[in-house]
Amino acid sequence: LVPAAGLNKKNPFVDFISDELIPYIDSSYKTAPYKILVGHSLGGLTAIDILTKWPQLFNAYIAIDPSMWYNNEAFLNNTVAQLPKQDMNGKRLFIATANTLPAGMKLSQVDKDHSKETQHIRSIMKLDAFLKKNHNGLMYAQNYYGKEEHNTVPLLSEYDGLRFIFDYFHLSVPQEDFTDSTAALP
């Protein structure tokens, strides 16, 4: 069973993921049918690109400080043009944005600045503004991590992204389970 059967991919990396990697993992391990793609930086750009072109490949996506500036924002422009044409019902996307601002600059000043230094964060903010208006059934959340930089944001944001994706699942563990050492473990 190939999960991406019928997709018009023409992308060697996506072909590998859908036709080889996912079937291998599903046949080698006990897996659930719910699939999540997580990417940071250029991997975050890849996650947004796959969501845009092949949304049915995964159920949810976490894009951590995605490099939407890449190639003069070609991927950003493609997402803006193509995403509204896709059925996003039931899909979830969490975008984490790190503080990549120049020293002394405030987030509120970014859209007025057009320097190379702010292109990374500006491009993510453009995507965020677009997604807030054009979600097309996509469940979407974005979080700005003002105290985190590009290379420190993945750990916190992946946790937050998973909490967003599984917002319906609340683990309630009584405090005594953490303090009672006599409890038998299975």
Side-chain angles (χ1 to χ4, degrees), residues 40 64 149-159:
H40 171 242
I64 303 168
E149 297 176 5
H150 184 71
N151 291 320
T152 64
V153 75
L155 181 63
L156 294 172
S157 59
E158 191 165 343
Y159 175 80

Side-chain angles (χ1 to χ4, degrees), residues 52-155:
T52 300
K53 296 176 183 170
W54 305 282
Q56 65 275 33
L57 197 53
F58 294 91
N59 302 90
Y61 299 79
I62 300 173
I64 303 168
D65 218 25
S67 298
M68 302 310 297
W69 59 267
Y70 181 75
N71 196 17
N72 293 319
E73 298 183 353
F75 288 87
L76 172 62
N77 294 331
N78 184 60
T79 296
V80 168
Q82 297 300 317
L83 200 70
K85 300 174 186 173
Q86 299 286 5
D87 178 9
M88 294 292 160
N89 286 322
K91 303 296 176 196
R92 291 178 178 248
L93 170 63
F94 180 82
I95 295 180
T97 307
N99 183 351
T100 57
L101 298 171
M105 182 177 274
K106 295 180 181 171
L107 192 59
S108 61
Q109 299 170 308
V110 172
D111 59 347
K112 294 179 186 95
D113 184 88
H114 298 286
S115 69
K116 269 292 204 204
E117 276 185 300
T118 62
Q119 187 178 12
H120 176 77
I121 197 165
R122 266 187 295 118
S123 64
I124 298 170
M125 290 174 68
K126 286 179 193 176
L127 178 62
D128 176 57
F130 167 77
L131 289 170
K132 285 179 178 171
K133 293 178 183 173
N134 299 283
H135 52 80
N136 203 25
L138 178 71
M139 290 176 261
Y140 170 67
Q142 185 270 356
N143 195 12
Y144 173 67
Y145 295 83
K147 294 183 180 180
E148 300 301 325
E149 297 176 5
H150 184 71
N151 291 320
T152 64
V153 75
L155 181 63

